[in-house]
Amino acid sequence: KAESACRLTSVVCLAAALVASAAPTQTFKIEKNHYVPFDATTTVRLACPDPAAAKWLQAHYKEWYGDYAPKVAEGQLASFNFQLSSSAEAYAASVDETGVKIAANTRAGTRWASYTLRQLTIAKRGTFKTEGYILPKLTIEDRPHLAFRAVLFAVQAAFRP
């Protein structure tokens, strides 16, 4: 039994090391106290080879922000100043006075970019309701360090007393 427990501890440590090494490679620059509107007056320019990505993004913005949902327009990656890695889930996003730009290799990258921006969105509070949203000026370049997002070990099946 002691030998099984020792092996189990080794596997748990190995799993923790693998998960720790799976952290994404990310560049994140944010300017504090500099915000830009993120509402119906904003156009998000998306550069993604997947033609369904813009429709997906527009539908989710409508679901998340309602009447304040920004418009989504497709753009060209060449017009953006991003160097995307070849990873399928890589993305880059920029928010400044000229608007919001997202570049991704696939719809999965577009999804990760939209989730990141959604977490950074701040509601402008009015007296009784939200009066739109703002985003801090920022630049993000992100990609997974490994080709997968999770590790699963079936410990019961591997070790028998």
Side-chain angles (χ1 to χ4, degrees):
K1 288 185 180 184
E3 187 178 322
S4 292
C6 184
R7 279 191 238 145
L8 178 61
T9 304
S10 300
V11 169
V12 170
C13 290
L14 175 63
L18 286 172
V19 170
S21 69
T25 304
Q26 184 178 65
T27 303
F28 186 80
K29 297 176 189 168
I30 189 166
E31 291 185 33
K32 294 185 179 186
N33 300 323
H34 292 93
Y35 299 97
V36 295
F38 190 68
D39 51 26
T41 63
T42 307
T43 299
V44 176
R45 291 191 298 149
L46 173 66
C48 181
D50 185 348
K55 291 177 185 173
W56 181 92
L57 190 58
Q58 185 66 59
H60 280 76
Y61 279 167
K62 186 68 175 166
E63 178 184 334
W64 295 337
Y65 302 112
D67 294 336
Y68 297 105
K71 296 177 270 316
V72 177
E74 295 184 60
Q76 298 293 329
L77 184 59
S79 66
F80 296 176
N81 292 326
F82 298 130
Q83 296 292 328
L84 283 178
S85 78
S86 61
S87 171
E89 296 183 359
Y91 71 88
S94 172
V95 178
D96 58 20
E97 294 84 9
T98 62
V100 178
K101 295 181 238 84
I102 297 172
N105 292 328
T106 62
R107 190 176 351 171
T110 302
R111 183 181 68 229
W112 291 119
S114 67
Y115 290 166
T116 300
L117 292 178
R118 182 178 181 202
Q119 291 174 24
L120 295 170
T121 303
I122 302 167
K124 294 191 301 186
R125 300 287 180 198
T127 306
F128 295 107
K129 64 177 185 155
T130 298
E131 295 181 347
Y133 298 89
I134 56 175
L135 272 173
K137 288 172 53 174
L138 56 87
T139 303
I140 300 170
E141 293 182 30
D142 188 16
R143 66 177 173 83
H145 184 69
L146 298 174
F148 53 89
R149 290 258 178 196
V151 175
L152 173 67
F153 284 97
V155 177
Q156 285 182 340
F159 297 101
R160 295 183 189 175

